[in-house]
Amino acid sequence: MLAMKTVESRIEAWLDEVVIGLNLCPFAAKPRRNQQIKIDICTACDDADILEAVYQALTDLAQTDPAITDTTVLVVPNALHDFEHYLDVLSMAENLIDHFGWRGTFQLASFHPQYCFAGCEPDDAENLTNRAPYPCFHLIREDSMSRALAHYGQDPEAIPTRNIACVSALTASQRAALFPWLSTDEDA
């Protein structure tokens, strides 16, 4: 098991250097600057316990003022290393949102060290847009996303294309610096 401080510092570095640093999510800088992004580390290894942590994180988010916590990144460093297994648990987490009537209130974004979009090869650069040091479930408030989109001065539909161009333009040394976990089996 990894030390919680190590996990947290790696996730914070990924948020600051990749997500915000490369502007992959143009909506992340403000809540990060305002300390409204909660990093919640789930040390569970069992799917049921992980889903319980997703449920608890959603419940906490529902009961917390967005000015305090606008979004939560639930990190699962000790499990879900297999991407297909992660996708199965992600599907179950989506079902949780539906079961508890949170569709339209919350949405999930997914990040994984082995993230691979359908129709892509594992080494395709575009997968980097959703690669994180550990499996993560990003719990997003729909209202906050709607407000951010309303103030976004550009076409939000163009964000994925811009992100792919951004990560495709990275040099090998930039990729190694921004995604060091991709070149090591240390955490697998």
Side-chain angles (χ1 to χ4, degrees), residues 6 10 13 16 19 28 33 45 51 67 73 75 89 92 108 116 119 124 127 133 138 142 145 152 165-166 181-182:
T6 299
R10 287 179 181 172
D16 293 338
V19 176
R33 186 175 48 252
C45 294
L51 289 168
V73 178
V75 185
V89 175
M92 290 184 266
L108 292 176
C116 187
D124 288 351
N127 296 318
H138 181 194
E142 294 255 349
M145 182 57 69
Y152 188 60
C166 176
W181 64 88
L182 296 179

Side-chain angles (χ1 to χ4, degrees), residues 111-170:
F111 299 93
H112 191 279
Q114 298 171 1
Y115 203 97
C116 187
F117 288 102
C120 290
E121 294 298 319
D123 291 335
D124 288 351
E126 63 198 79
N127 296 318
L128 294 174
T129 64
N130 285 62
R131 290 203 173 161
Y134 309 100
C136 298
F137 301 94
H138 181 194
L139 289 56
I140 303 166
R141 294 177 191 268
E142 294 255 349
D143 286 347
S144 295
M145 182 57 69
S146 294
R147 278 192 304 279
L149 287 169
H151 293 98
Y152 188 60
Q154 301 173 33
D155 177 15
E157 301 295 323
I159 293 171
T161 302
R162 184 188 53 76
N163 288 350
I164 292 168
C166 176
V167 296
S168 295
L170 295 173

Side-chain angles (χ1 to χ4, degrees), residues 38-112:
K38 180 180 180 183
I39 298 172
D40 193 0
I41 301 170
C42 170
T43 59
C45 294
D46 179 76
D47 291 357
D49 293 337
I50 294 166
L51 289 168
E52 177 62 32
V54 171
Y55 167 77
Q56 190 58 57
L58 286 163
T59 300
D60 291 349
L61 203 54
Q63 297 172 351
T64 304
D65 186 322
I68 305 297
T69 302
D70 192 44
T71 189
T72 298
V73 178
L74 180 68
V75 185
V76 185
N78 300 323
L80 306 178
H81 301 294
D82 177 78
F83 183 58
E84 293 302 320
H85 182 201
Y86 168 81
L87 290 177
D88 291 340
V89 175
L90 176 66
S91 178
M92 290 184 266
E94 289 284 355
N95 290 337
L96 267 176
I97 288 177
D98 291 331
H99 178 77
F100 289 99
W102 287 324
R103 184 68 56 204
T105 302
F106 299 115
Q107 63 179 265
L108 292 176
S110 54
F111 299 93
H112 191 279

Side-chain angles (χ1 to χ4, degrees), residues 20 25-37:
I20 295 170
C25 177
F27 316 114
K30 184 178 178 185
R32 179 77 170 137
R33 186 175 48 252
N34 294 338
Q35 299 179 346
Q36 295 168 293
I37 299 175

Side-chain angles (χ1 to χ4, degrees), residues 1-10 41 43 77-78 134:
M1 266 212 219
L2 295 165
M4 297 271 262
K5 272 295 194 201
T6 299
V7 172
E8 189 171 354
S9 67
R10 287 179 181 172
I41 301 170
T43 59
N78 300 323
Y134 309 100

